[in-house]
Amino acid sequence: MLDFRIETFLTVCQTMNFTRAAELLHITQPAVSQHIHTLEAQFGAKLFAYAGKQLTLTPAGHLVLQTATTMRHDVHRLQELLRQQNARRRLCFGVTLTIGEYVMPEPLIRLLQQEPDTQIRMHVANTADLLHLLDEGDIDFAIVEGFFPQQEYDSLPYRTERYVAVCAPNYPFATPPRCLEDLLGERLLTREPGSGTREVLERVLHEHNRTVDDFRALTELGNLDAIKSLACAGLGIAFFYEPAVRAELAAGKLRELTLEGGDMTHDFTFLWRRGSVFADWYRTIFFHLLA
């Protein structure tokens, strides 16, 4: 439904190579060049430039990319709405792991109790993958804990959560830890690079001029329950959003480490493509899912 020249432009942006774009589109390289020249004439601006042999986007090209990406997303959304005209309401969205496992069940239960015919598809992935799905039109919106380019997405703060350090109740510290630096002599149990929880931890450490490599030992796991199990067994310390360990803290399986500097908090953010014509609908869904 998008103009074929816009599709060509987006493919060139994906590959930053005219020949590779032609292969993906199954057209000739001169045809790709002609499509781009036509767009440049239409917009009255150069969209690409070369820095040496490397193809780059111009400032005008960046603006067209942001707008065209939103257009593609909205076309997918429109097609879905047309398919749903005589069908059940459908929500297709993405969330990061912590949000999916420990935040979304309650609002989804409430939504399905109110609207039992609604069909729901919830993708769970890291923030970068969710942004890609959003840009491609594969999901309508996302709720993330990680960081994102704010110039490309409209957003609303979904909720603010405490970010806490935890360990086993009888974890054998040589001296009771009072600040973040006092934890560096321990094994850190954490998510893999790219996860929202890991990104927040890296930001916190960066503020103290530290990295995860400053800990005595590092164990990276892609599963929150596995990290909690190791922490409960006294095999290291870990950082979680408070909802993820609420049950373990209440049961005495983990204890929170109170560190100097006050509570660490971070926002979970509800976001969609900036400039989308469906913005009002996304805001309505936001309030339906507000925890």
Side-chain angles (χ1 to χ4, degrees):
M1 194 169 174
L2 279 182
D3 184 282
F4 62 90
R5 287 171 285 260
I6 292 293
E7 294 283 8
T8 298
F9 169 78
L10 289 171
T11 304
V12 174
C13 291
Q14 175 188 339
T15 62
M16 296 310 289
N17 184 289
F18 277 44
T19 301
R20 179 60 181 146
E23 293 172 354
L24 292 176
L25 293 167
H26 304 291
I27 59 178
T28 66
Q29 191 272 333
V32 170
S33 298
Q34 183 58 48
H35 292 176
I36 299 302
H37 290 324
T38 300
L39 288 176
E40 291 177 332
Q42 179 181 340
F43 295 133
K46 292 288 290 183
L47 303 180
F48 295 97
Y50 278 96
K53 295 183 178 180
Q54 180 64 46
L55 188 67
T56 63
L57 275 169
T58 65
H62 279 288
L63 181 58
V64 173
L65 174 59
Q66 291 183 23
T67 304
T69 301
T70 298
M71 289 169 57
R72 178 171 59 186
H73 177 275
D74 284 355
V75 165
H76 282 280
R77 174 65 189 150
L78 177 58
Q79 290 171 333
E80 181 62 29
L81 285 175
L82 292 174
R83 283 194 294 267
Q84 291 182 40
Q85 277 188 312
N86 297 311
R88 298 174 179 176
R89 179 180 179 182
R90 179 174 174 269
L91 290 183
C92 184
F93 64 101
V95 294
T96 47
L97 182 59
T98 299
I99 296 172
E101 290 193 11
Y102 301 102
V103 175
M104 290 312 298
E106 183 178 335
L108 289 180
I109 289 170
R110 187 172 63 249
L111 176 65
L112 288 173
Q113 288 174 338
Q114 295 170 352
E115 302 181 27
D117 288 336
T118 299
Q119 297 186 75
I120 294 174
R121 176 177 295 174
M122 184 177 77
H123 295 261
V124 178
N126 64 39
T127 298
D129 289 342
L130 292 177
L131 296 182
H132 177 71
L133 290 173
L134 193 57
D135 294 346
E136 293 294 313
D138 294 327
I139 58 176
D140 297 324
F141 60 88
I143 308 176
V144 304
E145 60 197 88
F147 299 90
F148 60 93
Q150 297 188 18
Q151 71 275 13
E152 296 182 24
Y153 304 92
D154 285 323
S155 63
L156 292 167
Y158 185 67
R159 60 194 285 177
T160 300
E161 291 293 348
R162 295 175 62 239
Y163 191 66
V164 299
V166 298
C167 66
N170 298 316
Y171 189 87
F173 289 106
T175 57
R178 295 185 300 173
C179 62
L180 185 63
E181 283 74 11
D182 292 339
L183 301 178
L184 298 179
E186 312 304 325
R187 173 180 295 276
L188 174 65
L189 310 170
T190 185
R191 288 284 309 282
E192 74 286 358
S195 74
T197 305
R198 172 69 172 262
E199 279 189 50
V200 174
L201 174 59
E202 289 173 343
R203 292 282 183 113
V204 170
L205 291 171
H206 180 71
E207 291 173 1
H208 291 78
N209 198 30
R210 298 289 187 177
T211 73
V212 294
D213 294 324
D214 291 323
F215 286 83
R216 176 182 61 81
L218 180 65
T219 296
E220 298 173 324
L221 299 168
N223 182 280
L224 292 173
D225 285 338
I227 296 173
K228 287 194 287 185
S229 294
L230 267 61
C232 289
L235 297 177
I237 58 100
F239 291 80
F240 287 96
Y241 288 107
E242 193 269 338
V245 288
R246 187 172 292 151
E248 288 78 10
L249 291 171
K253 296 179 180 179
L254 290 173
R255 70 180 175 97
E256 180 181 343
L257 297 169
T258 303
L259 304 175
E260 293 176 354
D263 283 349
M264 296 180 287
T265 61
H266 185 69
D267 287 341
F268 294 164
T269 305
F270 183 107
L271 56 85
W272 63 93
R273 284 295 312 177
R274 178 165 292 244
S276 171
V277 297
F278 298 104
D280 287 343
W281 184 79
Y282 297 136
R283 292 188 179 94
T284 299
I285 295 299
F286 167 81
F287 288 107
H288 273 296
L289 294 178
L290 196 60

